[in-house]
Amino acid sequence: MGEPDRIMIRQILTSLLAGAFLCAASSLGLAQSAAPPAAPKPSAKKDTPKPPAAAKPESAPAAAAAGGAEPTLLGQYGTWGAYSATPNGKRVCFALAKPSSSKTNPPNRPRDPAYAFVSTRPAEKVVNEVSVMIGYQLKPGSESTLEVGNASYAMYTQGDGLWIKNAAEEDRMVDAMRKGADVTVKGVSAKGTETTDTFSLKGLSQALDRIAQDCKR
């Protein structure tokens, strides 16, 4: 995977996360507007200065415009969402999931959320490319693996992303993921922290079938 592809995945993630944040904020706003007004409190002797207003989060459309794509949810299948987007005018479809469990060694080390992608990009003749945004900067030259069933696949690492080292094995890996119960991804951060993320594969096969329909060549 080249640098433009990595940038595209980040842009899509940014749009998705911004959209999720806005949905949560809208729900909170509706709940607050529906609540009865609180009784007025007696004024204090001295006015307490108000904290500065927090900067408003970037809206989903704005985030999408920055990335050139606003992802559309095609369907949710178990733990996997099927999405489509058109960054830079090129159709992209992908399945996306968060880990069902994450561990670090030493324990409780802070990190950003991890995501697993399986993407199809017809314009580039790419079908079911697996990648993982691991949520931290990986240790340069470190070994990472993706384990599914009884098989283990070496993963190429760069920045905070993982891709299969031997592209010839990718079809076999995706087939194993379709049939498996979960997949485990192991990595080492730039600071030496070891991580283990487990992704449930429930719904992945249906999500891949859906994006295959929506992103036909």
Side-chain angles (χ1 to χ4, degrees):
M1 174 179 277
E3 186 63 27
D5 301 315
R6 286 190 283 271
I7 292 172
M8 178 269 294
I9 286 179
R10 284 182 206 289
Q11 291 170 342
I12 289 173
L13 258 182
T14 300
S15 297
L16 283 170
L17 293 175
F21 184 88
L22 277 185
C23 288
S26 298
S27 299
L28 178 61
L30 287 173
Q32 288 177 339
S33 64
K41 294 181 180 180
S43 59
K45 290 182 180 178
K46 293 183 179 180
D47 291 331
T48 305
K50 292 183 180 179
K56 291 184 179 179
E58 184 180 19
S59 68
E70 184 174 358
T72 299
L73 178 64
L74 303 172
Q76 184 69 37
Y77 305 92
T79 58
W80 291 80
Y83 293 85
S84 67
T86 314
N88 303 317
K90 295 182 180 179
R91 187 78 164 166
V92 175
C93 296
F94 58 95
L96 170 71
K98 295 180 182 180
S100 52
S101 69
S102 297
K103 297 178 183 178
T104 64
N105 183 25
N108 302 319
R109 288 295 179 92
R111 59 187 288 203
D112 292 334
Y115 296 90
F117 277 89
V118 184
S119 60
T120 290
R121 304 189 298 280
E124 300 166 43
K125 302 189 185 309
V126 172
V127 178
N128 290 345
E129 180 183 70
V130 178
S131 59
V132 180
M133 295 291 104
I134 203 73
Y136 58 81
Q137 290 296 307
L138 289 148
K139 183 177 181 180
S142 64
E143 290 293 324
S144 292
T145 59
L146 185 151
E147 299 170 5
V148 55
N150 297 319
S152 179
Y153 299 89
M155 302 297 285
Y156 166 74
T157 66
Q158 183 170 338
D160 63 349
L162 304 175
W163 296 268
I164 192 166
K165 210 173 229 183
N166 183 0
E169 295 182 330
E170 192 153 47
D171 286 345
R172 195 186 330 148
M173 180 173 72
V174 171
D175 187 56
M177 290 172 67
R178 277 180 174 271
K179 298 172 182 176
D182 52 52
V183 62
T184 300
V185 179
K186 296 181 179 180
V188 180
S189 78
K191 296 182 179 179
T193 300
E194 298 174 354
T195 65
T196 302
D197 294 294
T198 300
F199 296 83
S200 168
L201 295 173
K202 182 180 180 181
L204 173 63
S205 187
Q206 293 93 327
L208 292 181
D209 289 343
R210 179 59 191 273
I211 66 175
Q213 292 175 4
D214 209 72
C215 256
K216 291 180 180 178
R217 294 188 189 183

